Amino acid sequence: MSQNYTVGTVPPPPPPPAMPGYSPLPPGPPADDRRRRWPVVVAAGVVGAVVAAVAAAVITVQARNATTVTAPQAPAPVTVTVPAPTPASPAPLPTAQADRQTCQQGWLATQDPAKAATNALAILPPGAKILDPAVQNNPEWAAAVRRAGEFYQQASDALQAQIAPGSTPVLTQAANTAVKAFHVLGNSYTKFDPISGNAHDIAVKASDQMAALCTRLAP
């Protein structure tokens, strides 16, 4: 009888030749069915236990994987700070127009606050200085000095807001100096700073220079 073999396998060896005087053993008596059945039962039980153990191990591994694997976190939002655009400088005015604005709308606007500061200080005794202990210890006099300082700061702000671009350079420089002088004077009065005396002298000189320039450039 011919046999088919899978390609790549080695065919089994042929049966040994029959030897003279050799005869196979006769078949034994039939085995008891119960004796042949119990190995099968034991084997089935062993296989069932192995399958159950493998299934339990698989479930345990899957449970561990489910608890250890975490969902990917969303990336943190990126904040981009965009700098504010630099405001464009106003276009310069014609020189004559700019000088008039700086003098007539800027310098003249300092007159009322300056007069209000002088009137506030009129309550002080003749010859009294704002740094005198008697002035600082008197609530009414001290309040008058602080009000005068606030008026001088108002004069500084009024002039600064009206310095027109395109003004004559010397007028622009004098106006900026007057702005700073009024500001320092007002700050020294509100805080009773020892530089108040020098600040007053500087403010007077800056005022005189502005008055002379405006008289000449913006009559």
Side-chain angles (χ1 to χ4, degrees):
M1 180 182 294
S2 61
Q3 297 184 10
N4 293 327
Y5 298 102
T6 304
V7 177
T9 60
V10 179
M19 297 182 64
Y22 174 79
S23 61
L25 293 177
D32 189 358
D33 291 340
R34 290 176 297 179
R35 293 181 180 178
R36 289 184 299 178
R37 190 178 303 149
W38 74 264
V40 176
V41 174
V42 172
V46 172
V47 172
V50 172
V51 172
V54 172
V58 172
I59 294 174
T60 303
V61 172
Q62 291 177 348
R64 289 180 179 176
N65 292 338
T67 56
T68 56
V69 176
T70 57
Q73 297 180 353
V78 179
T79 302
V80 178
T81 302
V82 179
T86 303
S89 300
L93 301 174
T95 302
Q97 180 181 351
D99 289 346
R100 284 194 301 270
Q101 176 177 327
T102 300
C103 291
Q104 297 176 7
Q105 300 180 30
W107 173 243
L108 291 181
T110 67
Q111 305 304 304
D112 289 342
K115 291 178 180 179
T118 302
N119 295 333
L121 295 176
I123 193 176
L124 300 181
K129 306 294 183 181
I130 67 171
L131 297 179
D132 291 344
V135 173
Q136 299 184 47
N137 294 331
N138 186 303
E140 187 177 2
W141 296 348
V145 174
R146 293 191 182 93
R147 283 198 302 272
E150 293 173 356
F151 285 130
Y152 283 128
Q153 289 178 348
Q154 292 178 14
S156 174
D157 295 340
L159 176 56
Q160 185 177 24
Q162 296 298 331
I163 299 178
S167 299
T168 303
V170 65
L171 178 62
T172 301
Q173 184 177 0
N176 288 327
T177 300
V179 166
K180 296 177 182 177
F182 279 129
H183 180 76
V184 172
L185 179 61
N187 190 58
S188 65
Y189 275 33
T190 56
K191 296 182 178 179
F192 292 94
D193 195 290
I195 67 170
S196 58
N198 292 335
H200 180 269
D201 294 340
I202 294 173
V204 170
K205 293 180 180 179
S207 298
D208 292 343
Q209 185 178 17
M210 280 295 298
L213 289 173
C214 286
T215 299
R216 180 166 61 90
L217 298 175

